């Protein structure tokens, strides 16, 4: 009795396994075609979008960077041309609120700030009251 149930069970399982690929093949053709079409549509859309951003990057961003760089260079040279009209550092007016020192800095001679630039900044200890 147990053997016959086992045999029947195995036969029905075997028949189901034989039927499954045929059913899958017949049932999946329309759904598979829709899936393939959708995937192809997504790939085409991605390709178009990629081309668009590539063109924007080459024909839009690069010229903007060149123009911005040219503008920055122009402003930089104009700024330093302005400095040529200034009197020497030693002759400039030193106002009381400039270069206030309540205590010495921990670096250097203690008189110059961390961002001190010798060609732009000037501080005469003797002039400040």
């Amino acid at each position: 009795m147990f053997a016959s149930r086992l045999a029947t069970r195995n036969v029905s399982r075997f028949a189901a396994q034989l039927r499954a690929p045929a059913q899958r093949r017949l049932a999946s053709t329309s759904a598979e075609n829709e899936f393939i079409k959708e995937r192809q549509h997504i790939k085409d859309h991605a390709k178009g979008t990629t081309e668009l951003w590539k063109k924007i990057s080459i024909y839009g961003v690069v010229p903007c960077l060149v123009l911005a760089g040219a503008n920055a260079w122009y402003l930089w040279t104009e700024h330093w041309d302005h400095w040529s009209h200034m009197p020497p550092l030693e002759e400039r007016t030193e106002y009381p609120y400039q270069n206030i020192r309540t205590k010495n800095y921990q670096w250097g001679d203690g008189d110059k700030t961390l961002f001190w630039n010798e060609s732009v900044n000037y501080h005469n200890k003797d002039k400040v009251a």
Side-chain angles (χ1 to χ4, degrees):
M1 183 167 162
F2 180 71
S4 66
R5 275 192 201 160
L6 187 59
T8 306
R9 190 171 167 200
N10 284 340
V11 168
S12 64
R13 189 179 292 166
F14 181 70
Q17 287 174 351
L18 285 177
R19 269 193 322 263
Q23 288 174 344
R24 219 178 305 133
R25 185 170 45 245
L26 295 173
S28 65
T29 55
S30 65
E32 190 173 290
N33 287 339
E34 289 176 25
F35 177 76
I36 291 171
K37 286 178 187 176
E38 184 182 349
R39 292 299 296 167
Q40 188 60 40
H41 174 72
I42 291 171
K43 286 181 183 180
D44 293 340
H45 178 71
K47 186 177 182 181
T49 305
T50 302
E51 289 297 318
L52 172 70
W53 281 104
K54 188 175 183 180
K55 289 176 185 175
I56 288 173
S57 297
I58 293 172
Y59 301 118
V61 174
V62 172
C64 287
L65 286 174
V66 170
L67 290 173
N71 182 44
W73 181 78
Y74 172 75
L75 292 174
W76 175 262
T77 55
E78 186 178 293
H79 173 73
W80 287 110
D81 288 344
H82 169 73
W83 274 96
S84 64
H85 303 292
M86 300 286 287
L89 289 174
E90 297 82 16
E91 296 175 9
R92 290 189 194 149
T93 306
E94 195 166 344
Y95 298 100
Y97 61 84
Q98 290 177 319
N99 301 314
I100 296 172
R101 308 287 192 268
T102 55
K103 63 179 183 174
N104 288 340
Y105 295 108
Q106 294 88 352
W107 51 84
D109 62 359
D111 185 47
K112 295 174 179 60
T113 65
L114 188 61
F115 301 103
W116 190 266
N117 184 348
E118 292 291 336
S119 62
V120 176
N121 302 110
Y122 178 73
H123 177 60
N124 187 350
K125 289 181 183 181
D126 300 330
K127 278 187 177 181
V128 177

